[in-house]
Amino acid sequence: MNIGVIGATGYVGGRLVPALLARGHNVRCLARTPSRLDRVWWRTDVKVAQADVLVPTSLESAFSGLDVVYYLVHAMGHAYDFERTDRVGADNTKLAAEYAGVGRIVYLGGLGDDDSAVLSRHLASRHKVGRILASGPIPVTELRAAVIIGSGSASFEMLRHLVEVLPMMICPRWVTRTRCQPIAITDVLHHLVAVLDEPEAPGGIVEIGGPEVLTYREMMQRYAAVAGLPRRLIIPVPVLTPRLSSHWVNLVTPLPIGLARPLVDSLINDVVVTPAPADTNESSSTSDTNGSTIPTASGTTVTETSRTHRPISFDDAVSSALSHVRDLNVSTSWTDSASPVDTAASPMPQDPAWAGGTILADTREALAHASSEAVFTTVAGIGGERGWYFADSLWAARGWIDELLGGVGMRRGRRHPDQLRVGDALDFFRVEVYEPPKVLRLRAEMKLPGKAWLEWRITSNNDGTTTLRQLARFHPHGIAGRLYWWSLLLPHTVLWNQLIKRLARIAEQNEPTATEP
């Protein structure tokens, strides 16, 4: 099919596109700022049209020749009156799709009871968008989901940062009472693609969810367990309103207040697939014997593929989201997976800066009057008997402390004094990326309250010089990891500064022999 994706620069849209391409569809990405797609690995496999749902004329040519349009945008966090903006965008899309002869619209909205008297502004607006799109002659399939578990999902990132930073939380009572049916991003993508297998479906609402119904307190405790953090102390109190809570979330997490506020407001509503499963204790499974998470309800269409799909558990979804760290992938890594959907839980280049967890970094550059080959040879020769070019006694002391803590220490050395390959041990590091003469990245294997990497990137300049860029990055594990980083900030600043200077100077000294055949 010829498929248009409105919102391809967003969280779900950016992951849906490769899933559609894998099924052989022709994809056209409709983006207000097409340049935001320049860094994604699938950019050359799609057509891109500049279009804005708030500018009706921009949609007319963009919709031409499309069989299906995915509507994956909302104004939350981008507009003061996001409800009005949502309505205008939906209405413009409905009219433009009708004018262009689009065959079908697929929309991803949010779970929640339409009859609830206290439905949050955010959820009410998402439901209103679905009704506007469906008010025209074009069939609309509206999928409704609760919290999406995946690195980059706003709801998941809010959960991640709260649990990582706060060993104790004072929370509103609804944190222990409100029920949620979280769903893995890979399952969301499965259902979004699967609805295309029912071309004759007249449209309707499809409620999708994971296999468990959890309270938000349970989700926090389960996240802590998967992340290897101590159990969190959560104290519910009656005085915190959602509005006050949103300010607290904004203070503790990197999410902007315009996004945090409607998200927190929505936490007072149960968001579960209907009919809800009977509770046997605090959490219940909604899966039937076939693994279906879409019970048939009045007005709901369910594809056979979705009916037999076995969803991912909450713990497995969290584990997948935590398995990759933002900005640590080289450019080709996004295509290494056998299936594009397998990378969906990982951070992606177009995600917001707050997606993918906290990365603390020390970045430095030095100019070397030497070739890139000479610089790379010098960098790749670090460690082992040759040492670390600066403060070897400090490196040795760190290795001794690591051994006392049960770590690998510095005794492993190197396999070869000059040659490296991916997977090699290098003192208390492991070679993770080796791409001569451009990139060398080492992953720390010493005992740390987090994960650490030391990386060098080498770039040749037109004047014959070489720029050496050094990145020391740390993914902290809970509050202990943050305290570790900040307590060592001063000695690390001196260490990293001197290390890159020494590497550049030694490369210059080695230039005559480093370039010999």
Side-chain angles (χ1 to χ4, degrees):
M1 298 182 185
N2 295 319
I3 296 176
V5 178
I6 306 176
T9 60
Y11 172 65
V12 175
R15 289 153 173 81
L16 174 64
V17 169
L20 293 170
L21 291 172
R23 295 289 294 271
H25 298 297
N26 304 311
V27 180
R28 184 185 306 166
C29 298
L30 282 61
R32 183 171 51 187
T33 310
S35 61
R36 290 186 59 193
L37 296 173
D38 290 346
R39 295 176 59 200
V40 297
W41 61 265
W42 41 260
R43 172 63 181 84
T44 57
D45 298 324
V46 302
K47 294 181 179 179
V48 177
Q50 186 170 15
D52 187 341
V53 295
L54 301 181
V55 182
T57 55
S58 71
L59 299 175
E60 294 175 2
S61 59
F63 281 178
S64 178
L66 294 179
D67 301 309
V68 179
V69 167
Y70 280 88
Y71 190 84
L72 303 173
V73 295
H74 59 83
M76 184 180 66
H78 302 285
Y80 176 74
D81 186 3
F82 69 85
E83 295 125 314
R84 180 183 179 279
T85 305
D86 277 344
R87 292 195 301 270
V88 172
D91 199 53
N92 290 340
T93 299
K94 176 192 68 174
L95 295 174
E98 180 182 354
Y99 178 81
V102 172
R104 189 177 183 185
I105 296 174
V106 179
Y107 165 60
L108 179 62
L111 284 171
D113 186 358
D114 281 308
D115 297 327
S116 174
V118 291
L119 198 63
S120 72
R121 292 174 58 204
H122 162 51
L123 291 176
S125 182
R126 301 301 293 272
H127 291 190
K128 179 66 174 178
V129 166
R131 290 193 294 271
I132 291 173
L133 293 173
S135 65
I138 299 175
V140 174
T141 303
E142 178 183 351
L143 283 80
R144 291 183 175 181
V147 171
I148 298 176
I149 305 299
S151 190
S153 161
S155 298
F156 176 75
E157 294 298 341
M158 183 170 68
L159 174 73
R160 180 211 297 264
H161 285 94
L162 285 172
V163 178
E164 288 276 349
V165 173
L166 300 174
M168 181 186 75
M169 286 175 262
I170 298 175
C171 300
R173 281 182 177 173
W174 43 257
V175 168
T176 65
R177 297 175 179 175
T178 304
R179 299 184 307 154
C180 176
Q181 193 166 347
I183 182 171
I185 178 60
T186 50
D187 289 331
V188 173
L189 298 181
H190 165 83
H191 294 305
L192 284 170
V193 175
V195 295
L196 297 179
D197 295 333
E198 295 289 335
E200 303 302 323
I205 296 172
V206 178
E207 296 187 335
I208 59 176
E212 297 157 290
V213 174
L214 304 168
T215 65
Y216 287 95
R217 176 165 65 178
E218 288 175 316
M219 290 168 61
M220 291 176 182
Q221 299 293 15
R222 294 273 286 273
Y223 177 97
V226 173
L229 298 169
R231 184 174 176 83
R232 275 21 198 165
L233 177 61
I234 299 174
I235 305 172
V237 295
V239 294
L240 279 179
T241 65
R243 181 57 53 91
L244 288 174
S245 299
S246 66
H247 288 290
W248 176 243
V249 168
N250 180 243
L251 178 66
V252 175
T253 78
L255 272 69
I257 186 65
L259 185 60
R261 178 169 294 168
L263 282 178
V264 173
D265 287 345
S266 299
L267 300 184
I268 62 173
N269 296 120
D270 285 341
V271 279
V272 297
V273 171
T274 54
D279 286 333
T280 56
N281 45 44
E282 283 193 80
S283 63
S284 303
S285 171
T286 65
S287 298
D288 61 19
T289 55
N290 292 320
S292 171
T293 59
I294 311 180
T296 303
S298 177
T300 301
T301 57
V302 184
T303 67
E304 187 62 30
T305 304
S306 295
R307 194 183 293 277
T308 58
H309 176 69
R310 189 169 298 279
I312 298 173
S313 71
F314 177 82
D315 290 355
D316 287 345
V318 171
S319 178
S320 179
L322 298 181
S323 62
H324 294 87
V325 181
R326 180 180 176 85
D327 293 337
L328 289 177
N329 298 75
V330 291
S331 58
T332 57
S333 295
W334 300 110
T335 58
D336 290 342
S337 174
S339 168
V341 178
D342 292 341
T343 64
S346 306
M348 297 186 73
Q350 74 273 21
D351 288 344
W354 42 260
T358 298
I359 296 293
L360 303 171
D362 181 285
T363 303
R364 299 181 185 275
E365 285 189 359
L367 188 68
H369 294 274
S371 66
S372 59
E373 289 78 11
V375 174
F376 188 87
T377 298
T378 300
V379 170
I382 204 167
E385 294 297 326
R386 189 177 283 115
W388 286 79
Y389 302 127
F390 175 72
D392 279 343
S393 59
L394 293 180
W395 289 95
R398 182 64 180 89
W400 179 73
I401 293 172
D402 191 56
E403 288 189 45
L404 287 179
L405 296 174
V408 296
M410 296 279 279
R411 62 179 181 271
R412 298 186 305 181
R414 295 175 54 118
R415 175 185 58 85
H416 188 280
D418 298 308
Q419 299 174 4
L420 288 178
R421 60 192 180 194
V422 173
D424 273 0
L426 198 167
D427 295 336
F428 44 49
F429 289 93
R430 180 80 60 180
V431 179
E432 188 170 82
V433 176
Y434 181 74
E435 296 181 357
K438 295 181 178 181
V439 184
L440 172 64
R441 183 165 76 228
L442 308 177
R443 184 184 73 250
E445 292 190 333
M446 71 280 278
K447 293 290 185 178
L448 289 170
K451 298 178 181 178
W453 296 263
L454 186 58
E455 177 179 304
W456 295 272
R457 291 183 175 266
I458 294 97
T459 306
S460 298
N461 302 320
N462 294 331
D463 60 0
T465 61
T466 297
T467 298
L468 174 62
R469 188 167 186 253
Q470 176 180 280
L471 301 94
R473 289 182 280 194
F474 185 61
H475 184 45
H477 190 205
I479 194 65
R482 288 159 174 81
L483 291 174
Y484 173 86
W485 173 267
W486 294 114
S487 66
L488 293 176
L489 186 60
L490 180 59
H492 277 166
T493 297
V494 175
L495 179 66
W496 304 138
N497 184 52
Q498 290 299 316
L499 177 58
I500 192 171
K501 288 181 178 180
R502 297 288 179 91
L503 288 170
R505 300 295 80 81
I506 292 172
E508 292 172 345
Q509 297 170 12
N510 292 341
E511 174 70 10
T513 57
T515 56
E516 290 180 0

